Amino acid sequence: MNRVPYSPDHDLSGVNSLEELKAMAVACTRCGLRSGCSGVVFGEGNPEARLMLIGEGPGADEDRMGRPFVGKAGQLLDKILEAAGLERFTHTYIANVVKCRPPGNRVPRPDEAARCLPWLYRQIELVSPGIIVLLGSTALQNLIDPAARITEMRGRWLVSKSGIKIMPTYHPAALLRDVSKKRPVWEDFQKVRDEYRKIMNS
């Protein structure tokens, strides 16, 4: 993954639990997003999950409830997971590139994402998943390549330096705008399901 270097004042390598990391993230004011949202949406799920899902950032519903993927896109994601035989709180851990809602649900700016990514990278290290699903362009461009296009990369397995298998696919919100994307996402999640079963049976 396209790791953003930690600045000296934001080295999280000594944080050894998600609970401790969350407590620190809740107090973060490293970018302007914190002042314009209700609170930090850290992430949730099984801390020992072998499957991690990464989206863009909280929307209005997520900001209000303090949980990721609880709006219409999140409800659709739950249905996709269920159809694949996966349950979000049992089989997955879900987080976002940025943990505070950008104004008007706009795409996070590169500087905002860069300041927030150390939290996400430490989450990945602590969860230690075997598979990561990148939901949408923002996740793909911030974790893999700023020039990457989700239309070209979705459905293709990538592998991180540490051996994590990575599947980019469309964000569930894109499916709500364009139903023609539902079939490709379902095909991607079938690949994820099959790889997940291999990992669990190995």
Side-chain angles (χ1 to χ4, degrees):
M1 286 179 284
N2 183 30
R3 175 179 287 281
V4 173
Y6 293 126
S7 61
D9 66 338
H10 203 42
D11 183 358
L12 302 171
S13 59
V15 181
N16 295 314
S17 73
L18 288 170
E19 292 77 13
E20 182 184 359
L21 190 69
K22 181 178 181 179
M24 294 173 65
V26 166
C28 178
T29 56
R30 289 176 56 82
C31 79
L33 292 180
R34 181 66 184 88
S35 63
C37 68
S38 299
V40 173
V41 180
F42 180 73
E44 69 178 19
N46 182 350
E48 298 180 352
R50 303 301 290 140
L51 173 59
M52 190 166 180
L53 310 178
I54 298 174
E56 176 178 300
D61 293 322
E62 289 77 14
D63 183 46
R64 184 175 63 255
M65 297 180 66
R67 298 176 51 215
F69 283 94
V70 292
K72 290 182 179 179
Q75 293 164 20
L76 178 55
L77 178 61
D78 287 347
K79 291 178 181 178
I80 295 169
L81 290 170
E82 182 181 2
L86 300 165
E87 197 277 326
R88 72 183 278 174
F89 291 101
T90 302
H91 301 112
T92 77
Y93 187 90
I94 302 178
N96 282 305
V97 170
V98 296
K99 307 203 176 306
C100 294
R101 181 194 179 197
N105 292 355
R106 64 165 170 76
V107 175
R109 296 195 308 261
D111 62 303
E112 294 164 342
R115 289 185 174 92
C116 207
L117 277 172
W119 300 112
L120 177 59
Y121 279 119
R122 191 61 183 148
Q123 281 177 298
I124 294 170
E125 291 165 353
L126 290 170
V127 175
S128 189
I131 303 169
I132 290 176
V133 178
L134 301 178
L135 299 167
S137 295
T138 299
L140 174 65
Q141 291 169 357
N142 279 283
L143 275 78
I144 302 299
D145 181 353
R149 297 176 62 86
I150 192 68
T151 52
E152 298 172 357
M153 299 293 290
R154 63 137 291 270
R156 294 168 47 187
W157 282 114
L158 309 171
V159 182
S160 74
K161 291 180 180 179
S162 61
I164 301 172
K165 299 204 73 173
I166 301 169
M167 173 63 72
T169 193
Y170 295 119
H171 193 287
L175 279 60
L176 297 174
R177 298 188 296 267
D178 181 358
V179 295
S180 70
K181 290 183 169 65
K182 287 187 175 182
R183 179 172 290 278
V185 169
W186 174 236
E187 292 171 353
D188 297 344
F189 268 90
Q190 286 179 303
K191 295 177 184 177
V192 170
R193 174 199 62 199
D194 293 345
E195 187 63 29
Y196 178 85
R197 288 175 178 172
K198 288 180 185 178
I199 289 175
M200 298 306 293
N201 292 329
S202 62

